[in-house]
Amino acid sequence: ASVSTLSKLAARGAAVLLPGSASLDKLEGGDKEYRLDFAVKSVPGSYADVEANFAFDKDSEKKATYNLVAAVSRDVAPAADGDKKATSKEAGDKPEMRAFVLGDADVFTDPVMDFANTNRLLLLEALRWLGG
């Protein structure tokens, strides 16, 4: 849900630019209460340029599909003092903590967003999802 429009546009070749982004992985033995969705992945055959030479080095680098953006959520208990702000007004909605995690914030800088309209869409969809 955090990148639904981008997912629909992927079939038409739409892509976001993530210059210098680190990859993300689920922490082994992490808290099971958190729901984790890797919302954006690299294209197959991508590699982490460990040598920083802009070329694939088969001895020190591996090609794979990397997780680049994660949508994380977890249910939270309503406030003990009955604070109405902590609960949703819609029936059936539970209060939820949400986080949108990126390997690098350069994805939302002016030069990148001026060049790639899809990055603007990524920001808008992330904010929409974070707001519920």
Side-chain angles (χ1 to χ4, degrees):
S2 60
V3 291
S4 59
T5 304
L6 283 172
S7 296
K8 292 174 188 172
L9 293 175
R12 291 193 239 165
V16 292
L17 296 179
L18 296 133
S21 182
S23 62
L24 306 170
D25 286 313
K26 186 173 183 175
L27 184 64
E28 291 297 324
D31 194 336
K32 305 238 186 303
E33 292 181 23
Y34 289 92
R35 292 179 298 280
L36 179 65
D37 175 34
F38 290 111
V40 177
K41 297 177 184 253
S42 70
V43 295
S46 298
Y47 62 93
D49 192 10
V50 178
E51 303 295 327
N53 60 0
F54 300 104
F56 176 67
D57 299 308
K58 63 181 176 183
D59 297 332
S60 60
E61 300 164 348
K62 72 171 190 167
K63 291 185 178 183
T65 300
Y66 293 93
N67 302 314
L68 301 174
V69 176
V72 183
S73 60
R74 184 184 85 168
D75 293 333
V76 294
D81 63 358
D83 183 6
K84 299 295 182 200
K85 293 178 186 173
T87 60
S88 173
K89 292 181 181 180
E90 293 184 31
D93 284 351
K94 296 179 183 177
E96 183 178 63
M97 179 280 317
R98 291 182 174 186
F100 195 76
V101 182
L102 299 144
D104 188 6
D106 287 340
V107 66
F108 297 135
T109 59
D110 288 344
V112 175
M113 291 192 42
D114 283 345
F115 183 77
N117 288 336
T118 49
N119 285 43
R120 295 179 193 175
L121 186 57
L122 176 67
L123 176 62
L124 291 173
E125 288 200 314
L127 291 174
R128 183 186 65 178
W129 178 77
L130 287 168

